[in-house]
Amino acid sequence: MSDQVTLTQFIIEQQRGLPDASGTFTLLLNNIVTACKQISNRVNRGALIGVLGSAGTENVQGEVQKKLDIITHDIMVRALNWSGQVGGMASEETDDPIKVPTQYPKGKYLVLFDPLDGSSNIDINLTVGTIFSILRCREGMDPETEDFLRKGNEQVCAGFVLYGPSTMLVITTGKGVNGFTLDQDVGEFILTHRNMRIPEETDEFAINMSNQRFWEPPVQQYIDECVTGVDGVRSKNFNMRWVASLVADVYRILTRGGIFLYPADLRDPSKPGKLRLMYEANPMAFIIEQAGGVCTTGREAILDIKPQTIHQRVPLILGSKTEVERITDYYSQYDQANT
Ligand code: F6P
Ligand code: MN
């Protein structure tokens, strides 16, 4: 007998003993995972099946959609809408939440997802991923947009799948973070990274330096000190990485520590940062905090934000505790000096 633990076994064992566990959540997760295996297959076959390149359309953020943005969105919706576990869905790729078709029963979970994170990397064959966030809702309800607008600390589960050299699933249900690798030969996610923990100390940062001239002073100060290295107040040298796929940058931080910043900048006050609260920041914050890291806007914990709109953007700073706390100190010192 193999001693490998499959994702299904792991989740069933985690749920066992919970007072209200009915198996619905395990079924829901299985459907999400089936969708991600299909996405992994499409991403992997790429040009062979003609799925690379632009679709020629724009999403609600005004970003040009790739063919795979649309294909992966459809895969997620079709995997979930018939199942009876889901009350409604929200996707980064559509303006409004997606309703369960009338012929199907409505379940007790809401699923929010970024079907293909980092899709600007797809045509250059770099790592991309799928991010998801699960909330509870009243069974049988037909949720309106407001029903999705809940704080990140209400999530019951968050995860992402990384389509990289290995296809990997990283997931939390609020009891730590675990990583699973897809065994392509048998089609199962196998537990390979138990109880992932982020080192508290780090000397690696991730930020898109091309935006430097637009950053607020606390970010300028923090990055300047990193770059000055042993010659400055930090007394150590820093390394920089920027994959430009949030999933890949977060995975690196989960495995070897680091700090990731996509801060607010001074260009357009209506766009505070680039990343989306509901599809990116909230699920990543749940995962990072469950792995012992910290996730903030610089001024507020991501998981405490009351969302105003479904596609809301937020500044996002996450990673190793000591570094994230250092920059939040810089923000509060700056704000105190300027009020
Ligand atoms: O989904 C948005 C995203 O692609 C993230 O995955 C990534 O972290 C970021 O945008 C990259 O931004 P930029 O294009 O500024 O490097
Ligand atoms: Mn994304």
Side-chain angles (χ1 to χ4, degrees):
M1 277 274 287
S2 159
D3 57 1
Q4 290 185 332
V5 176
T6 65
L7 174 68
T8 310
Q9 180 184 349
F10 182 85
I11 294 296
I12 287 177
E13 286 180 354
Q14 248 197 3
Q15 299 278 297
R16 200 171 276 155
L18 291 184
D20 57 347
S22 62
T24 311
F25 176 75
T26 309
L27 290 172
L28 168 62
L29 210 56
N30 263 327
N31 286 336
I32 294 175
V33 162
T34 300
C36 292
K37 288 180 198 167
Q38 290 170 358
I39 295 172
S40 176
N41 173 273
R42 305 295 194 283
V43 166
N44 182 261
R45 294 184 61 76
L48 293 174
I49 54 170
V51 294
L52 302 186
S54 163
T57 47
E58 282 188 357
N59 68 13
V60 63
Q61 308 279 347
E63 296 163 341
V64 174
Q65 288 176 305
K66 301 281 182 183
K67 284 184 200 163
L68 269 170
D69 284 320
I70 295 170
I71 293 168
T72 56
H73 165 88
D74 289 345
I75 289 174
M76 288 294 282
V77 172
R78 269 193 241 118
L80 295 175
N81 68 1
W82 59 273
S83 65
Q85 298 122 22
V86 166
M89 289 158 278
S91 165
E92 191 181 291
E93 298 302 331
T94 50
D95 296 8
D96 299 314
I98 302 139
K99 292 195 181 298
V100 170
T102 47
Q103 69 266 37
Y104 300 128
K106 292 174 197 65
K108 62 180 178 186
Y109 293 104
L110 302 177
V111 184
L112 300 91
F113 49 86
D114 176 356
L116 199 65
D117 176 62
S119 59
S120 66
N121 277 330
I122 190 72
D123 295 342
I124 56 171
N125 201 21
L126 284 189
T127 296
V128 290
T130 300
I131 310 172
F132 59 90
S133 159
I134 303 178
L135 294 163
R136 270 186 208 283
C137 67
R138 206 166 13 86
E139 197 158 2
M141 81 188 284
D142 209 354
E144 299 300 328
T145 303
E146 296 71 60
D147 297 308
F148 288 83
L149 300 180
R150 308 236 300 275
K151 291 183 182 179
N153 55 27
E154 289 188 41
Q155 292 172 103
V156 293
C157 173
F160 64 89
V161 176
L162 202 65
Y163 311 111
S166 299
T167 292
M168 285 201 65
L169 168 72
V170 174
I171 192 165
T172 186
T173 55
K175 295 191 196 102
V177 177
N178 290 280
F180 299 79
T181 305
L182 180 61
D183 183 335
Q184 306 271 3
D185 292 338
V186 291
E188 288 277 6
F189 278 98
I190 306 294
L191 179 61
T192 47
H193 295 62
R194 197 185 275 276
N195 194 22
M196 301 178 84
R197 301 294 299 168
I198 301 174
E200 286 192 10
E201 310 278 338
T202 182
D203 48 18
E204 196 163 65
F205 68 92
I207 193 164
N208 183 341
M209 291 291 293
S210 69
N211 297 325
Q212 182 168 20
R213 66 191 187 284
F214 306 114
W215 297 337
E216 289 183 275
V219 183
Q220 298 282 6
Q221 180 188 347
Y222 177 80
I223 297 296
D224 186 53
E225 289 174 0
C226 293
V227 173
T228 311
V230 283
D231 300 328
V233 294
R234 300 305 307 269
S235 310
K236 63 176 182 178
N237 288 327
F238 279 76
N239 185 32
M240 198 200 91
R241 286 286 182 276
W242 184 251
V243 185
S245 280
L246 179 65
V247 281
D249 281 314
V250 167
Y251 187 73
R252 185 187 60 256
I253 289 170
L254 282 166
T255 48
R256 69 178 191 212
I259 179 169
F260 170 99
L261 308 96
Y262 216 119
D265 69 37
L266 304 170
R267 270 174 292 188
D268 179 354
S270 74
K271 288 183 182 163
K274 176 177 186 191
L275 300 175
R276 272 72 27 149
L277 176 60
M278 306 305 288
Y279 317 107
E280 297 173 318
N282 269 343
M284 290 313 194
F286 193 16
I287 292 166
I288 290 286
E289 301 228 335
Q290 282 291 316
V294 181
C295 192
T296 172
T297 63
R299 297 183 164 103
E300 186 181 11
I302 291 287
L303 293 176
D304 287 340
I305 298 174
K306 171 74 182 105
Q308 302 300 315
T309 61
I310 192 90
H311 294 293
Q312 175 174 345
R313 294 173 188 243
V314 280
L316 182 60
I317 300 174
L318 59 81
S320 293
K321 190 169 183 286
T322 328
E323 291 302 314
V324 178
E325 286 176 353
R326 175 180 274 265
I327 191 164
T328 50
D329 282 349
Y330 290 3
Y331 272 99
S332 58
Q333 284 159 20
Y334 172 76
D335 289 344
Q336 270 167 26
N338 288 279
T339 45

